[in-house]
Amino acid sequence: MSDTTSPRVALVTGGSGGIGHAVVERLARDGFAVAVHYAGNKDRADDLVEAITADGGRAIAVGGDVADEQDMAAAFDAVEAAFGGIDVLVNTAGMMRLGPLVELDLDLLDRMHRTNIRGTFVVDQLAARRLRSGGAIINFSTSVTRAQFPNYGAYVASKAAVEAITLILARELRGRDITVNAVAPGPTATPLFLDGKDEATIDHLAKAVPLERLGRPEDIAESVAFLAGPARWVNGQVLFTNGGLA
């Protein structure tokens, strides 16, 4: 069991932008020492670390390709060296590219699935080996696995794989006192979601939600904070955080 007198430690992949940024800020406010992972935007990760430390928190930035096991092993090593161990992995890193199945470029399909499927598998495998007792693994799916919007086929296929990894790993970690869950956001106002969509499309998706707005990154961070902290009896689940989207 981890030392309860020390802060819990979280590694957030994709922590330099979008939902990951909000998750890092929320966990830092909750008292976690946080590792902000980035793939290409080191400056943004460093700025976030600087803001957290200026506010009295503990944070470091770690880089690497989530689908590269050597990169991510080095990232895990850096977090353990800085903070003494890891309690929570939040895997927000991902790609979303949309288009009809009949037209989608297969190279784009391969790149997206490498990040979303292999990347999740790599970081979950490392987390399963390294997280301390009492820990939590939190992956990211999408509510479109249920909403089934056209043009999302390749992306949803990758996230369905993430759900499968999540639900099976939860059962494989029997006896370890480590929970494994996924958060499935609905339409959320992030650069990843907004990129390439016109105003009419964005308004339509907002109105599809009974609360009649897009989600905010902070809304999604609330669910992550729940799973990372008090939700010790929630395990092997997909938490649809979507304002009631069918």
Side-chain angles (χ1 to χ4, degrees):
M1 181 70 70
S2 59
D3 180 359
T4 57
T5 65
S6 300
R8 280 164 62 81
V9 177
L11 167 59
V12 182
T13 72
S16 63
I19 289 171
H21 189 282
V23 167
V24 167
E25 290 183 323
R26 175 56 194 265
L27 293 181
R29 288 200 304 273
D30 286 350
F32 281 79
V34 185
V36 184
H37 164 269
Y38 63 91
N41 201 332
K42 183 178 187 301
D43 289 344
R44 186 165 181 178
D46 287 341
D47 288 346
L48 182 52
V49 167
E50 183 177 347
I52 290 169
T53 55
D55 201 36
R58 301 177 67 196
I60 61 169
V62 294
D65 174 2
V66 289
D68 185 309
E69 63 272 29
Q70 294 181 339
D71 277 7
M72 294 313 297
F76 273 73
D77 288 343
V79 180
E80 290 172 344
F83 299 132
I86 304 176
D87 302 290
V88 173
L89 169 75
V90 185
N91 186 34
T92 75
M95 287 181 63
M96 181 170 67
R97 298 293 184 270
L98 306 181
L101 185 148
V102 70
E103 297 174 3
L104 194 78
D105 181 85
L106 294 180
D107 288 339
L108 187 60
L109 174 76
D110 289 343
R111 293 205 310 274
M112 183 162 55
H113 284 198
R114 183 179 186 276
T115 296
N116 294 356
I117 301 176
R118 180 184 168 91
T120 297
F121 199 98
V122 165
V123 296
D124 279 9
Q125 185 178 71
L126 287 163
R129 294 170 177 170
R130 298 199 187 201
L131 257 58
R132 295 184 285 207
S133 178
I137 296 171
I138 304 163
N139 292 321
F140 265 72
S141 181
T142 172
S143 287
V144 190
T145 56
R146 293 197 308 193
Q148 300 166 354
F149 297 143
N151 299 321
Y152 280 75
Y155 177 67
V156 167
S158 72
K159 291 303 188 177
V162 168
E163 291 188 11
I165 291 167
T166 300
L167 302 184
I168 290 171
L169 182 58
R171 277 103 188 141
E172 291 180 346
L173 293 183
R174 174 182 293 273
R176 291 279 307 281
D177 192 24
I178 295 172
T179 61
V180 189
N181 295 287
V183 174
T188 305
T190 66
L192 180 72
F193 172 79
L194 297 172
D195 183 40
K197 294 183 176 71
D198 59 27
E199 280 298 321
T201 299
I202 293 168
D203 185 61
H204 173 75
L205 290 169
K207 289 293 171 45
V209 176
L211 296 179
E212 294 193 336
R213 68 170 174 86
L214 295 179
R216 295 181 291 264
E218 294 78 11
D219 296 322
I220 314 306
E222 287 285 344
S223 292
V224 173
F226 172 64
L227 294 173
R232 298 308 304 166
W233 197 236
V234 180
N235 190 28
Q237 305 298 318
V238 180
L239 179 57
F240 287 85
T241 305
N242 60 22
L245 183 71

